[in-house]
Amino acid sequence: MFRTALRNVLAHKGRLLMTMLAVMLGTAFVAGTLIFTDTMGQALRSQNSKSYADIAVTVSDDAAVSNGYDVGAIAADTPNLTEETRKKVAALPGTAEARGVVSGFAGIADKKGALIGNGFSTTGTNYVPGADGTDPRYPLVEGRGPKDATEIALDTKTAEKGGYKVGDTVRVAVNGPVMQLKLTGTLHTNDPRVIAGGSLAAFDTATAQSLYLSPGRFAELDVKAKPGTGDAALLTAVKQVLPQADNIEAKTGRELAAEQDKMIGKLTKVLNTFFLGFAGIALFVGVFIIANTFSMLVAQRTRELALLRAVGATRRQITRSVKIEAVLVGLTASVGGLLAGIGIALGIKALLNGPMDANLPDGPLLVAPLTVLTSLATGVLVTLVAAWLPARRASRIAPVAAMSATEQPATQKSLVVRNTIGLLFSVAGLGSLAAGVSGKEVKLVGLGAAALLLGVFVLTPLLSRPLIALLAPVLRAVYGTPGKLAQENAVRNPRRTAATASALTIGVTLITSLTVIGASVNKAVDNSADSDIKADYTVAMQNGSKLSDDVAAQVARTPGVSVMSTERGLPVTVGQAKGQGEEDGNQEWLTAVDAATIDQLATVKIKEGSADALKQGKLLVSSGRSERAGYKLGDTLAVTYPDGTKGALTVGGVLEANTALASLIAPEAVVGPHAKPGSGLDKILVKGTNGATEQLKQSLRDATGGNPLIAVKGDKDIKSESRKTVDSILNLMYGLLGMSVVIAVLGVVNTMAMSVFERRREIGMLRAIGLDRLGIRRMVRLESLLIALFGGLVGVGLGILSAWAVVRTMAGDLKGISTVVPPLQIGGFLLAAAVIGLLAALWPAYRAAKLDILDAIKSQ
């Protein structure tokens, strides 16, 4: 039977080609993902190991690390790492060197004033020269390191992006005025934040301390051991001279490297899961093609299989023979997929390092043995599972019946069972969708959508006749006999049509649902920006850190500003609410605003209480927060402020949902004085005398010193950024789903090509009675068109329903969101399905039209 299986694979290699391609593409996706993430993980771990190679012990001040990225956010009396502490550590017998480190955000402007890099990875640090005048952490590429507050060094990528050369003046800012500094050198860095698209600015140590902490203070101490001194022994010695405080922690370099390796492992695992999810979709689509191909091969070989049964082959041997064919096909395709996966991994890395400028670390391509085994096993297993039902069907062929028929029709019992199963899955899916919508549970919606999709797949043969019949009148009216024949061929074998269309349905369903959700989110954000925000402009840091308090005064003095309000977030501890019985010590965030002006800058709609609550020194609570926390109108909350003082706030009003306002709002005059010194502002809302004008926008930029980290955003900017974010996510998803669509196209090509082969006699008879070659081509193309449109229509319907359910679960988090179905895009998907159907039929139609009439009629 093995020889028989091998002979069959070789004999039908042309008919199995598309199946092999489908398996190969799916396996290539899996292999490419594993190879790329393994390679990236290994390169990052190698880079991480180098970063800690010379560090025996690292001492970190957690409060200072946070403070460097949120300037002024901690109290001055917090125990910290000072120059005195560094000297104590440096004086230990086992210490070769103790280097003090300071870090935080630093925005670098290009020569047009725009920020270089993304806001969250704009890194600033101190340059610590050794005896030779260089800092081993940042090897110099050109020039020298900075020596005073007028100088700066940049990483080579940032200097290149900004068009800066050594000697140029660089505009740089933290959260205050822009500084004009001289570029003294360019550096090389392995900092992952910079590699990921950020920037690095290096200051002299005194300047960095004044910018991020305070004079003589460090966020971290990196300690190098003398030869012969063990890391553990040095760690013990270092701990003895450190201030005893919860915010100060000492670890060995190896421990930190291991922690970083663990984080890298988590990152690669997340990437693996994300990409393998789409690879799974592609393989799932491939299952339909594989099953369809083997079903058609079994049907076309009924005489051969019957003969085997007649000469003594058992049912088990027939089943085994088909399974061996599947294993051979899967193994061959998987080897090709593994090789293609290597190319995909190289392509992803080139894409990220090229157009996307991710600047991933260099490293050799890693093809692990586990990746090879996983890729081969995946392809073989998927092919074997998909061929299982056709193999069982082959074993059930009765020798006598098979000798007199080319294909056995499905029994009534099997159709009833199939439809019952499909109906049960569909009902369960709809029930889960309904439960998820009512309970705002995304997981239930996801399970319901998956169950409904499976149910519809099972019911697709039942649905194919009525849906295809809807299109039949148009085809008959326009194309006459070829159109009629195409419609009859499409519904002749509903199972085959269903399997072919279902492969396309998966991709269309996912693409449609993503598109509808994206359009719904964009519309909700646009509506919120129009209805919730009255301010003409919002001033805030691009990296999410705090604005300096000085910026508020600068904005207030800006010509053309008529009204403004600051927003300041304060972490507070809320005690027991009056009459609520809550536990003491709930952690909350209060947002302080200017009570006199906030209603002119944001829509403040009161559901309960007084609209003047803020002016009366009371608290406003959003309706959602009120329901979750139990804060009700009139409750008095005992509050412990960040500076340690205690107070009480009364709930004076309950707000309607508003995206521009926080869930707990208090007057700045009441709670602002209790903020920690220099804690900063979240944002500033501004309204202009003449409305939103480019002149006012530029004036606000000028007032903040042209700080590249400070963004001045209007209504259009907010909408544009939201759409850009959503569109970027959608484009990524579309690209990843493209593989499943390509596989679905191969399925249509495969089905039509094999259908032409098994209908050679029929096509010969049609030619003999007068249907010309153009008519044959039209018949095949229109049949393919009907199958593709059928799959597209089902996919669009399922996608819209699933998106509606997801959107409903988002109603509590995104104000005013409703389901938006973009007609042009949905119509475009259906048009794309039609084009796919027509293109997929080009080669099968050409083959059908070229058949010799007599040879076709004589074929078996």
Side-chain angles (χ1 to χ4, degrees):
M1 297 308 295
F2 178 80
R3 288 197 299 270
T4 301
L6 181 59
R7 179 183 59 80
N8 285 330
V9 169
L10 295 175
H12 302 125
K13 54 184 179 292
R15 284 179 252 177
L16 290 168
L17 177 62
M18 296 300 172
T19 300
M20 289 183 177
L21 283 175
V23 178
M24 187 187 77
L25 290 176
T27 307
F29 206 153
V30 173
T33 296
L34 295 175
I35 293 170
F36 171 71
T37 52
D38 285 348
T39 300
M40 184 181 71
Q42 179 64 31
L44 290 173
R45 282 189 290 271
S46 175
Q47 181 187 79
N48 180 55
S49 178
K50 292 177 182 177
S51 299
Y52 290 98
D54 295 330
I55 299 176
V57 176
T58 291
V59 184
S60 61
D61 180 349
D62 293 338
V65 170
S66 300
N67 191 56
Y69 292 91
D70 191 3
V71 178
I74 66 175
D77 58 355
T78 303
N80 50 58
L81 299 176
T82 62
E83 177 62 20
E84 181 182 356
T85 305
R86 189 196 70 79
K87 288 180 179 178
K88 289 180 179 179
V89 174
L92 291 172
T95 300
E97 179 186 0
R99 181 191 299 116
V101 178
V102 183
S103 60
F105 285 118
I108 309 299
D110 62 19
K111 293 187 177 180
K112 295 181 180 179
L115 179 68
I116 299 175
N118 59 70
F120 293 93
S121 298
T122 51
T123 306
T125 190
N126 61 320
Y127 188 82
V128 187
D132 61 352
T134 64
D135 188 335
R137 295 177 305 163
Y138 307 113
L140 282 168
V141 177
E142 187 179 1
R144 61 171 176 83
K147 294 182 178 180
D148 56 44
T150 65
E151 298 178 341
I152 192 175
L154 300 176
D155 69 281
T156 53
K157 281 281 186 180
T158 300
E160 182 182 340
K161 290 177 183 177
Y164 291 121
K165 297 180 180 179
V166 173
D168 288 349
T169 299
V170 179
R171 299 178 71 249
V172 58
V174 180
N175 73 334
V178 174
M179 300 175 287
Q180 306 275 349
L181 304 179
K182 180 181 178 181
L183 181 64
T184 62
T186 56
L187 315 166
H188 175 72
T189 178
N190 289 326
D191 191 320
R193 293 166 296 183
V194 181
I195 290 173
S199 61
L200 175 70
F203 308 93
D204 70 288
T205 297
T207 301
Q209 288 173 330
S210 65
L211 288 173
Y212 300 120
L213 298 170
S214 56
R217 185 175 179 186
F218 299 103
E220 185 179 294
L221 298 178
D222 291 338
V223 185
K224 185 177 180 180
K226 289 181 178 178
T229 302
D231 292 358
L234 184 57
L235 175 64
T236 301
V238 167
K239 285 183 176 180
Q240 293 176 357
V241 299
L242 295 177
Q244 299 302 308
D246 292 338
N247 59 292
I248 295 178
E249 184 179 24
K251 294 182 179 180
T252 65
R254 292 180 182 178
E255 288 177 323
L256 287 174
E259 289 179 3
Q260 292 293 322
D261 284 350
K262 192 173 181 180
M263 291 179 62
I264 291 169
K266 288 181 178 179
L267 170 64
T268 54
K269 185 176 181 180
V270 169
L271 286 174
N272 256 336
T273 302
F274 179 73
F275 286 116
L276 287 178
F278 288 92
I281 293 171
L283 288 168
F284 185 59
V285 172
V287 166
F288 289 91
I289 299 171
I290 299 164
N292 211 20
T293 300
F294 277 93
S295 293
M296 296 177 75
L297 283 174
V298 167
Q300 292 171 10
R301 287 161 42 198
T302 51
R303 290 182 181 273
E304 174 190 329
L305 294 172
L307 181 59
L308 288 173
R309 289 294 311 281
V311 298
T314 64
R315 287 188 173 184
R316 179 177 296 180
Q317 287 177 313
I318 295 295
T319 302
R320 190 183 304 158
S321 174
V322 177
K323 288 181 178 179
I324 290 172
E325 292 179 40
V327 170
L328 292 173
V329 169
L331 187 60
T332 304
S334 298
V335 171
L338 178 61
L339 296 175
I342 295 173
I344 289 175
L346 291 171
I348 293 174
K349 188 175 181 181
L351 177 65
L352 291 175
N353 280 336
M356 299 184 71
D357 198 27
N359 197 22
L360 295 175
D362 292 329
L365 198 67
L366 181 61
V367 184
L370 183 60
T371 297
V372 175
L373 292 175
T374 301
S375 302
L376 297 179
T378 298
V380 171
L381 185 62
V382 167
T383 310
L384 193 57
V385 169
W388 181 71
L389 281 177
R392 282 175 56 86
R393 197 172 297 131
S395 69
R396 292 173 180 171
I397 295 176
V400 175
M403 294 290 280
S404 59
T406 58
E407 186 172 358
Q408 292 178 305
T411 64
Q412 187 66 28
K413 179 182 177 181
S414 67
L415 293 175
V416 171
V417 171
R418 178 181 182 128
N419 292 337
T420 302
I421 293 173
L423 187 61
L424 289 174
F425 267 103
S426 299
V427 171
L430 289 171
S432 183
L433 281 178
V437 168
S438 61
K440 302 292 189 294
E441 290 287 342
V442 178
K443 289 183 179 179
L444 280 178
V445 169
L447 289 173
L452 180 60
L453 191 63
L454 289 173
V456 170
F457 285 164
V458 178
L459 289 173
T460 304
L462 184 65
L463 299 173
S464 62
R465 289 183 180 275
L467 287 179
I468 290 177
L470 292 175
L471 302 171
V474 177
L475 295 182
R476 292 182 181 183
V478 176
Y479 296 105
T481 299
K484 179 181 179 180
L485 291 171
Q487 185 260 333
E488 292 176 351
N489 288 334
V491 298
R492 175 190 297 183
N493 192 325
R495 284 187 174 183
R496 182 182 302 171
T497 298
T500 306
S502 295
L504 187 60
T505 296
I506 297 171
V508 176
T509 298
L510 294 173
I511 289 173
T512 299
S513 61
L514 288 172
T515 301
V516 173
I517 292 170
S520 302
V521 170
N522 281 333
K523 184 65 175 177
V525 172
D526 288 352
N527 289 341
S528 296
D530 292 334
S531 63
D532 294 346
I533 302 175
K534 294 181 181 179
D536 295 320
Y537 292 104
T538 300
V539 181
M541 296 289 283
Q542 292 198 57
N543 54 24
S545 60
K546 301 287 189 177
L547 284 167
S548 169
D549 288 295
D550 296 338
V551 177
Q554 295 168 355
V555 170
R557 294 193 297 267
T558 303
V561 173
S562 61
V563 182
M564 63 166 278
S565 173
T566 59
E567 288 193 11
R568 183 197 307 273
L570 289 86
V572 298
T573 302
V574 178
Q576 184 175 354
K578 183 179 178 181
Q580 299 302 314
E582 292 188 8
E583 294 182 0
D584 291 342
N586 296 328
Q587 297 297 315
E588 296 278 12
W589 273 91
L590 285 180
T591 297
V593 299
D594 294 337
T597 60
I598 190 62
D599 58 346
Q600 301 177 56
L601 298 160
T603 303
V604 182
K605 289 186 179 180
I606 304 295
K607 293 183 69 174
E608 298 179 64
S610 170
D612 294 327
L614 286 175
K615 296 176 183 178
Q616 297 167 3
K618 296 181 180 180
L619 185 69
L620 290 181
V621 182
S622 70
S623 56
R625 193 77 190 102
S626 174
E627 292 174 4
R628 291 191 296 270
Y631 301 150
K632 300 187 182 302
L633 187 66
D635 284 348
T636 298
L637 309 180
V639 179
T640 302
Y641 293 108
D643 63 355
T645 60
K646 298 182 182 296
L649 290 172
T650 301
V651 178
V654 178
L655 281 169
E656 288 188 8
N658 188 306
T659 57
L661 298 174
S663 58
L664 291 174
I665 307 172
E668 168 71 19
V670 174
V671 303
H674 300 294
K676 289 181 180 179
S679 59
L681 306 170
D682 291 341
K683 60 184 175 182
I684 303 172
L685 302 177
V686 178
K687 198 170 184 63
T689 305
N690 299 317
T693 63
E694 283 300 319
Q695 182 179 0
L696 175 60
K697 190 174 185 179
Q698 187 59 48
S699 296
L700 289 170
R701 288 190 184 126
D702 294 340
T704 56
N707 189 328
L709 277 175
I710 297 179
V712 180
K713 299 178 183 178
D715 180 70
K716 291 181 180 178
D717 299 317
I718 294 171
K719 292 179 181 179
S720 176
E721 283 191 5
S722 171
R723 288 186 175 276
K724 185 177 180 180
T725 300
V726 172
D727 290 345
S728 297
I729 294 172
L730 288 179
N731 289 335
L732 174 63
M733 296 295 189
Y734 290 159
L736 293 172
L737 288 171
M739 186 72 78
S740 62
V741 175
V742 170
I743 293 175
V745 172
L746 294 176
V748 178
V749 175
N750 197 41
T751 298
M752 297 309 302
M754 295 185 72
S755 180
V756 166
F757 177 82
E758 72 179 13
R759 299 205 310 252
R760 286 177 300 170
R761 176 180 289 183
E762 176 186 320
I763 292 171
M765 292 296 295
L766 289 172
R767 290 291 314 281
I769 61 175
L771 191 62
D772 60 12
R773 290 184 174 179
L774 178 61
I776 295 294
R777 284 197 296 268
R778 280 183 176 173
M779 177 187 72
V780 176
R781 286 199 299 262
L782 292 175
E783 180 183 349
S784 178
L785 173 65
L786 284 171
I787 293 173
L789 277 178
F790 170 55
L793 284 169
V794 174
V796 164
L798 288 173
I800 292 174
L801 179 60
S802 301
W804 168 82
V806 172
V807 168
R808 289 294 299 273
T809 64
M810 299 168 65
D813 300 315
L814 192 55
K815 178 193 170 187
I817 189 170
S818 60
T819 306
V820 177
V821 181
L824 290 179
Q825 287 174 282
I826 299 301
F829 296 154
L830 291 175
L831 179 61
V835 172
I836 285 172
L838 291 174
L839 292 177
L842 288 178
W843 179 56
Y846 173 80
R847 285 190 61 197
K850 295 293 288 183
L851 286 175
D852 182 86
I853 297 176
L854 294 178
D855 288 342
I857 293 175
K858 289 189 297 181
S859 64
Q860 297 296 319

